[in-house]
Amino acid sequence: MTDFAATRALFELPEGIIYLDGNSLGPLPRAAAARVGRTITEEWGQLLIRGWNQAGWMELPTALGDRVGRLIGAEPGHVVMGDTLSIKVYQALASALAMRPDRRVILSDSGNFPSDLYMAQGLVGMLGADYELRVVAPEEVAGAIDDRVAVLMLTEVDYRTGRRHDMKALTAAAHAAGALTVWDLAHSAGAFAVDLAGAGADFAVGCTYKYLNGGPGAPAFIYVAPRHAEAARPALSGWLGHEAPFAFDLDYRPGRGIERMRVGTPPVIALAALEASLDIWDRVDMAALRKASVALSERFIAGVEATCPTLTLASPREAATRGSQVSFRHPEGYAIMQALIADGVIGDFRAPDILRFGFTPLYLSPEEVDGAVSILARIMASASWDQPQFKVRSRVT
Ligand SMILES: *Cc1c(COP(=O)(O)O)cnc(C)c1O
């Protein structure tokens, strides 16, 4: 079991705020400032270049990769941190495509996050006209897998609705058709227990600034299944993925296993912040987390449906097919969300009409969920969202 009152005390949460946006940017672990401070003053400040060896900077991407790996059901030694998620999508997809040289189709769905589709479009543009990104509706994915598909590239949890794909079943269907899978775990890692090994996933990627609380711009991760570890060819063949970076050979040779998915110099300061967050995750039982997440989500759905008749549930009603977020639709969703934020309840808005709320048991209590419901109900009943200052769009929604 996990003591969620104890984990909550490990986060810095501003007074008077109910935070329902940990699915977009997790809060600050209290220990992170000191941990980052040590890296800066004691390691960078005192060790200088010696930090790479003496402070273990070079091992951080794989050491932290294994700690993320526990949360996503990866075999030890098969996850590495670095770069941003968009880059990791490109890497995984390029490697998977190269392993199916006689096929030309990348299959994805319209519930995928645009950056994943954009990266696939960029890659298709590089590879040539006979490659194709095929995008179907989420419920049509299973039926669209055929023997032309090289790679099935999906985000497990839809960023707008929270709808969750059946990773195990779709992976099996892809394999039965001779295709490989790339799973994006952006809204899965830290939201519930993922079982990559059990699902037979080939490649997986994800970020650490959402549910994993690694901080803005925290490094991403990539997983390559052990059976592909020595076969996957890195498309982004940077020197730190080379077999012997400090031999400074003129020709690239991929490093051993997951090491080849490194590209360049690791973001040591950002990894230090992530390490403080993973110290909290090390205490968390993922089954307990999921149970609490479902309870918070159901409590919110029931509360909103009882008090806000003009909001329509956009998420699956069935908890088993939902991640750890709940979304409601309203044509004035943007203004409603701004009014909520002004009243201390922070969620976010996704065009065209989605109000999105993340449920994160590590630092969110049932009482806060009730508080958020009653503030939302008051805003809806009084139409206090219907004011000009709530309709001005910011750069980040
Ligand atoms: C959040 C998110 C991203 C963001 O990618 P970055 O490169 O980290 O900005 C990409 N894909 C999915 C599915 C996401 O949810």
Side-chain angles (χ1 to χ4, degrees), residues 80-99 119-120 123 151 153 182 203-205 220-224 232-238 240-241 252 257-264:
V80 70
M81 314 302 303
D83 314 298
T84 74
L85 176 49
S86 303
I87 301 289
K88 284 345 214 183
V89 167
Y90 189 94
Q91 268 188 307
L93 189 56
S95 291
L97 274 178
M99 293 171 75
M119 295 310 282
L123 181 58
V151 182
M153 177 189 81
V182 173
F203 293 83
V205 294
F221 63 83
I222 184 167
Y223 162 83
V224 181
R233 218 178 58 212
L236 301 177
S237 38
L240 287 184
Y252 182 78
I258 198 67
E259 292 279 350
R260 69 186 58 188
M261 292 299 164
R262 290 173 170 237
V263 182

Side-chain angles (χ1 to χ4, degrees), residues 306-389:
T307 54
C308 306
T310 58
L311 296 179
T312 317
L313 184 65
S315 299
R317 194 166 291 282
E318 187 60 44
T321 57
R322 215 171 48 222
S324 199
Q325 65 171 74
V326 171
S327 302
F328 282 90
R329 288 184 200 281
H330 190 286
E332 293 290 347
Y334 184 81
I336 295 166
M337 184 53 74
Q338 299 319 302
L340 258 179
I341 293 170
D343 274 353
V345 179
I346 301 182
D348 63 21
F349 170 78
R350 285 294 173 264
D353 60 355
I354 297 258
L355 294 123
R356 190 170 72 154
F357 304 93
F359 295 92
T360 49
L362 257 52
Y363 50 86
L364 185 71
S365 69
E367 292 71 29
E368 285 174 300
V369 170
D370 294 346
V373 168
S374 69
I375 292 169
L376 178 58
R378 199 180 65 224
I379 287 170
M380 297 309 294
S382 65
S384 65
W385 54 266
D386 195 3
Q387 298 179 57
Q389 76 268 28

Side-chain angles (χ1 to χ4, degrees), residues 84-87 89 112-113 115-116 155 157 159 184 186-187 207 209-210 218 220:
T84 74
L85 176 49
S86 303
I87 301 289
V89 167
N112 208 341
F113 189 76
S115 196
D116 296 41
T155 295
V157 176
Y159 72 106
D184 190 326
H187 298 277
C207 54
Y209 49 81
K210 293 173 180 163

Side-chain angles (χ1 to χ4, degrees), residues 34-106:
R35 178 69 191 79
V36 169
R38 273 205 314 280
T39 294
I40 291 176
T41 56
E42 294 171 24
E43 297 179 2
W44 179 15
Q46 297 306 311
L47 296 175
L48 295 160
I49 192 80
R50 296 171 292 183
W52 289 109
N53 291 318
Q54 293 177 18
W57 291 347
M58 205 44 101
E59 285 74 44
L60 276 176
T62 44
L64 300 195
D66 277 341
R67 291 169 72 185
V68 171
R70 179 185 77 85
L71 308 176
I72 57 174
E75 299 85 346
H78 293 275
V79 177
V80 70
M81 314 302 303
D83 314 298
T84 74
L85 176 49
S86 303
I87 301 289
K88 284 345 214 183
V89 167
Y90 189 94
Q91 268 188 307
L93 189 56
S95 291
L97 274 178
M99 293 171 75
R100 289 292 177 272
D102 51 344
R103 297 187 180 201
R104 293 290 179 268
V105 176
I106 302 163

